[in-house]
Amino acid sequence: MKRIDIVYDGTLYSVGGAEYDELKSRIAAAHDEGRSTWLRVDHGEGRARSAEILIAPGIPISLVAINTDAD
């Protein structure tokens, strides 16, 4: 399983089962087009809760690819 950690406004969120390059392109497109979009993410440890974060120009966001596949 793949997971992408997202640091947004100093808070850690994650997205499971997503492709890193696809998510990165989606975020970049929103920035390039000057539009905002909501991104559904997980928040919390253990039993994560669903949350949505606003992706928009001027809002800093960091992506960290986490490979949880067993080698």
Side-chain angles (χ1 to χ4, degrees), residues 2-22:
K2 295 179 183 176
R3 185 179 88 230
I4 301 167
D5 283 350
I6 298 172
V7 180
Y8 180 90
D9 195 29
T11 302
L12 181 64
Y13 299 92
S14 65
V15 175
E19 292 296 325
Y20 182 86
D21 289 335
E22 186 176 304

Side-chain angles (χ1 to χ4, degrees), residues 6-61:
I6 298 172
V7 180
Y8 180 90
D9 195 29
T11 302
L12 181 64
Y13 299 92
S14 65
V15 175
E19 292 296 325
Y20 182 86
D21 289 335
E22 186 176 304
L23 181 58
K24 185 176 169 182
S25 293
R26 180 178 167 201
I27 291 169
H31 280 245
D32 292 346
E33 295 168 8
R35 62 178 173 85
S36 61
T37 187
W38 289 96
L39 177 64
R40 184 172 298 270
V41 296
D42 294 325
H43 179 258
E45 302 261 340
R47 185 174 177 182
R49 297 173 304 203
S50 287
E52 291 187 354
I53 56 177
L54 182 64
I55 306 300
I59 300 175
I61 184 170

